[in-house]
Amino acid sequence: MDALCGSKFWDSNLSVHTDNPDVTPCFQNSVLAWVPCIYLWAALPCYLFYLRHRHQGYIVLSSLSRVKTALGVLLWCVSWIDLFYSFHGLVHGWAPAPIFFVTPLVVGVTMLLATLLIQYERLQGVRSSGVLIIFWFLCVVCGIIPFRSKILSALAQGKISDPFRFTTFYIYFALVLSALVLSCSREKPPFFSPKNIDPNPCPEAGAGFLSRLSFWWFTKLAILSYRRPLEEWDLWCLNKEDRSHVVVQRLLEERKKQQEQAARHQAAEASGKRLSSEGEVLLGGRPQAQEPPFLRALMATFGSSFLLSMFFKLTQDLLSFINPQLLSVLIRFISNPTAPTWWGFLVAGLMFVCSVMQTLILHQYYRCIFVMGLRFRTGIIGVIYRKALVITSSVKRESTVGEIVNLMSVDAQRFMDVVPFVNLLWSAPLQMILAVYFLWQNLGPSVLAGVALMVLLIPLNGAVAVKMRAFQVEQMKLKDSRVKLMSEILGGIKVLKLYAWEPSFLKQVEDIRQEELRLMRQAAYLHATSTFIWICTPFLVTLTTLGMYVSVDKNNVLDAEKAFVSVSLFNILKIPLNMLPQLISNLAQPRYPGAKRGTSGCGGACGLWEVLPVVCPAGRDGEAGRQGVYEGLRGLRAPAGMDTELHSSGKCAVWPSPGPQAVPTGSGGLCPAG
C-alpha cells in the first residue's frame, strides 16, 4: 500500500498517540474513498435480484428524480476530472502516485453505477431506496475526515498545497451531502400501480426507508391512541402481502410444485428399477406415493423472510459483544492519566453508535419474525380449512369437527408462537460460545466452573420439557373429547331439553374440564419450576465463576476492568439461558400437535405435518368427489342465511335440518338404543 500511495499508509504517532489526531493522506485516498464503493458493489447483486422480483410499475420522471440524476452525473464528472488532472501531471513530467489514478477511476465508475441505479429504481417503482441512502451516508461519513484534515493542513502550512484537488474535493463533498438529503425524500407513487380501495390503508406500504427503519409511520396511531381510546375504524387494513388470500395461495402453489417434483422423482426411480419376478408384480401392492413434508413448503414459501430475520439476528448478536470490549477500553483509558482526552470521547461515541445500531436492527428483526409467524398461522389455517371442505365421508368418520377446529384454533397458534424462537436454535449456541470465549480471555480457566453448572442444568430442563410434552398430548385428547361432546350437545339441544338431560351432560363436560385443569395446573407448576431455575442460573454462574477465579490463585485480583466486563458478558449470556426453556417448551408443542391425540387424525394421519398435505382423491372429481365435498361441508359453520345441517359421523349423532331423528347408541349418552 505504501508503494501504491508513494507515502506512508499508517502512522500511529499521527493518528493515535497525539492530542490532535489525523490520518495520513494515503489512508484518506484509499480506505476512506473505497469503503462506500465496496459497499455498493457488494450490495448490488442482491439488490438487483430483489428489484427484478418486486416490480411495481414505473414512476414518472419527476423534478426530484432529475435533480438526483444530475447530482450523480456531476459526481461522475468530478471524479473523471481528477483522473484527467493526474494524466495531465503525468504528461508534463511530475508523475503522481498510482493512488491518484486508481481512486478517481473507482469512484467515478461507482458514481456512474449509482446514477444508473437511480433510474432503474424509478422504472421498477421504488419510491425510497435504502441501499442508496446508506451509500450516500457512507460517502458523507468517510468524507468528514478528509474535510477536516485538509483545512487543518492548510492552516498549519499557511497555504493550500494542491489547490485543484482541494477544490474538487469540496465540490465532491457538497454534491454528496446534497444527494444524501435528496435521497431521504420519497418519490410519487408508481404510474401503473393498482388503486388502493381500502377504507383505511396501512401507511407502512408507502413509508420511506427512514420511516420504516424508525417506525415513524406508526406515530400517528400512537398519538391518536394517547388522545382517545381506539375504535375499530381507527385500525389500518392489512398489507396486501399479509392477507389470507395472498398467503394461502402462495403456500398452495409452492405445495403443488413440490408435489409435482416429488411425483416426477418417484416416477423416475420406479422406471429405473427392475422387478425380480412376475409374481411380485401380481401379488405385491402398488407403492403409495410419499408426500413431501409440509414444513418444506412452509420454508420455501416464507424462506426469504426467514433468511432476512437470520441476517438481522446475526448482526445484532455480533454487535452485542462490541460494547463489553469498548467498556474494557474505556476503563483502561480512565486508569491511564496520560492518555489523550479524545480517546474517551471516541470510545463513548462508539458505544452510543453501537447501542443505537443494535436497537434499530433488533426491532427490525422482531418486526420481521413476528410478521412471518402471523403468515405461518394464516397459511396453516387456510390450508386446513380448504382440506376440510374436500374430505370424504369415510375420512369424516375418523376425524370430528372438534379436531379440525382445534387444528385451526390451537395448533396453528402454536406454530405462530414457536416462530420467534426458531432462530434461537443457532443464535443461542453462538452467543453462549462467544460469551464463554471472551470470558476465557478475561478470567481464564475459571470460566469452566460456570460452564459446568450450565451443562448440569440442561438435562433437568430437558426432563421438564419431556414431562410437559406428555401433559400436552393428554390435554389435547381431553380437549378433543370435550369439543366433540359439546358439538353433540349443541346439535341435539332439542332432545336434551325434551328429556331434561342437561344436568347429566353438564356433569360430563365438567368432569372432562376438571381433568384438563388438573393437567394444566401440573404443567404450570413444572413451567414455573423450570423458569425459576433458569432465572437463577445467570446469578449462580456469575457467582461460581468469579468465586473460582479469586480462590484458585492468590495472584488473581478482581479489579474494575475484569469485574465490569465479566458482568456485562454474563448479562449477554443470561439472554440465551433465559430463552432456552421457552425454546424447548415451544418446540415440544408443535412437535406433538393437537392432531396427534389418538391413533388417527384427518385421514388416519398422525400429526399436523401429515394432516395438512394429504388431500383425499375421492374429494376431487367424480361422484365420490361430489359426495366428499358434501360430507366435508356438513358439520362446519355456514354463513348466515344458509340452511345447513349438523353432521357428525362415526359415534356422533346425525340430525338433518327438518328435525331430530332417532339417536344412535354410541352418541355419548344421548338416549338408550334406538
Side-chain angles (χ1 to χ4, degrees), residues 462-481:
V464 172
V466 170
K467 193 64 176 178
M468 290 180 64
R469 184 177 61 192
F471 286 156
Q472 186 69 34
V473 174
E474 188 67 25
Q475 181 190 349
M476 288 299 102
K477 292 180 181 179
L478 292 172
K479 187 170 185 178
D480 274 348
S481 61

Side-chain angles (χ1 to χ4, degrees), residues 60-170:
V60 179
L61 189 61
S62 60
S63 301
L64 178 62
S65 180
R66 289 190 180 97
V67 174
K68 289 193 294 186
T69 305
L71 289 176
V73 173
L74 288 176
L75 285 166
W76 174 72
C77 293
V78 169
S79 301
W80 282 98
I81 288 173
D82 272 347
L83 181 62
F84 291 149
Y85 180 73
S86 300
F87 279 110
H88 176 268
L90 184 63
V91 170
H92 286 77
W94 46 279
I99 193 68
F100 292 106
F101 294 94
V102 175
T103 296
L105 180 63
V106 172
V107 174
V109 174
T110 306
M111 293 303 169
L112 180 61
L113 172 65
T115 305
L116 296 176
L117 192 58
I118 291 172
Q119 292 302 314
Y120 185 68
E121 288 176 340
R122 181 182 66 83
L123 296 177
Q124 295 297 113
V126 178
R127 301 179 62 187
S128 179
S129 174
V131 172
L132 286 181
I133 288 178
I134 297 175
F135 170 70
W136 297 125
F137 178 75
L138 289 176
C139 289
V140 171
V141 171
C142 293
I144 290 176
I145 296 177
F147 186 95
R148 172 183 175 273
S149 179
K150 291 181 182 297
I151 294 177
L152 293 178
S153 177
L155 292 175
Q157 297 178 6
K159 63 176 183 178
I160 300 175
S161 59
D162 192 348
F164 184 83
R165 289 197 174 93
F166 185 89
T167 305
T168 55
F169 170 77
Y170 284 102

Side-chain angles (χ1 to χ4, degrees), residues 109-348:
V109 174
T110 306
M111 293 303 169
L112 180 61
L113 172 65
T115 305
L116 296 176
L117 192 58
I118 291 172
Q119 292 302 314
Y120 185 68
E121 288 176 340
R122 181 182 66 83
L123 296 177
Q124 295 297 113
V126 178
R127 301 179 62 187
S128 179
S129 174
V131 172
L132 286 181
I133 288 178
I134 297 175
F135 170 70
W136 297 125
F137 178 75
L138 289 176
C139 289
V140 171
V141 171
C142 293
I144 290 176
I145 296 177
F147 186 95
R148 172 183 175 273
S149 179
K150 291 181 182 297
I151 294 177
L152 293 178
S153 177
L155 292 175
Q157 297 178 6
K159 63 176 183 178
I160 300 175
S161 59
D162 192 348
F164 184 83
R165 289 197 174 93
F166 185 89
T167 305
T168 55
F169 170 77
Y170 284 102
I171 294 174
Y172 163 84
F173 187 82
L175 293 175
V176 166
L177 184 61
S178 302
L180 174 63
V181 174
L182 292 178
S183 296
C184 296
S185 303
R186 286 186 304 163
E187 292 280 358
K188 297 179 180 179
F191 192 64
F192 290 109
S193 60
K195 184 178 180 181
N196 196 342
I197 59 175
D198 295 332
N200 192 10
C202 181
E204 182 186 9
F209 172 75
L210 296 179
S211 179
R212 288 173 176 262
L213 187 64
S214 60
F215 296 95
W216 187 258
W217 55 269
F218 186 76
T219 305
K220 184 178 178 181
L221 186 64
I223 295 175
L224 182 63
S225 63
Y226 172 76
R227 292 176 177 174
R228 62 173 177 83
L230 292 178
E231 299 181 3
E232 182 179 356
W233 51 81
D234 294 327
L235 302 180
W236 300 313
C237 298
L238 283 175
N239 292 324
K240 182 180 178 181
E241 59 271 15
D242 298 330
R243 297 181 182 179
S244 60
H245 67 276
V246 176
V247 174
V248 176
Q249 187 63 30
R250 286 178 56 196
L251 184 56
L252 290 176
E253 289 176 358
E254 187 62 38
R255 179 65 185 169
K256 183 178 179 181
K257 186 189 304 183
Q258 292 188 2
Q259 287 177 337
E260 293 174 353
Q261 292 176 356
R264 288 195 298 267
H265 180 68
Q266 292 174 3
E269 288 184 349
S271 61
K273 292 181 179 179
R274 295 181 179 179
L275 298 177
S276 58
S277 63
E278 185 178 358
E280 292 180 4
V281 179
L282 296 176
L283 299 177
R286 185 177 180 181
Q288 185 178 2
Q290 294 182 355
E291 292 283 340
F294 186 70
L295 180 60
R296 188 186 304 170
L298 285 173
M299 296 308 300
T301 306
F302 309 109
S304 58
S305 300
F306 184 69
L307 291 177
L308 183 61
S309 69
M310 288 180 63
F311 171 75
F312 285 142
K313 184 62 175 172
L314 177 62
T315 307
Q316 192 271 333
D317 289 345
L318 296 179
L319 286 175
S320 64
F321 287 95
I322 295 180
N323 267 338
Q325 309 307 317
L326 293 176
L327 178 62
S328 176
V329 175
L330 184 62
I331 293 175
R332 287 200 299 267
F333 161 76
I334 295 174
S335 60
N336 184 10
T338 62
T341 307
W342 65 270
W343 284 13
F345 288 103
L346 178 63
V347 173

Side-chain angles (χ1 to χ4, degrees), residues 460-472 518-534 581 585:
L460 176 62
N461 194 74
V464 172
V466 170
K467 193 64 176 178
M468 290 180 64
R469 184 177 61 192
F471 286 156
Q472 186 69 34
R518 182 183 63 82
L519 291 175
M520 293 173 64
R521 190 180 300 111
Q522 294 179 359
Y525 289 152
L526 281 176
H527 180 71
T529 304
S530 175
T531 304
F532 175 76
I533 292 174
W534 284 96
S585 176

Side-chain angles (χ1 to χ4, degrees), residues 594-663:
K596 192 171 183 179
R597 299 174 179 100
T599 57
S600 63
C602 294
C606 297
L608 185 58
W609 302 127
E610 291 79 9
V611 171
L612 292 177
V614 182
V615 178
C616 302
R620 292 180 178 176
D621 49 17
E623 183 62 31
R626 287 189 290 272
Q627 180 66 19
V629 173
Y630 175 71
E631 296 290 348
L633 289 170
R634 303 173 73 184
L636 297 177
R637 183 176 297 176
M642 292 183 62
D643 186 17
T644 59
E645 53 181 327
L646 295 175
H647 169 72
S648 299
S649 51
K651 293 186 177 181
C652 305
V654 180
W655 291 296
S657 298
Q661 304 292 325
V663 183

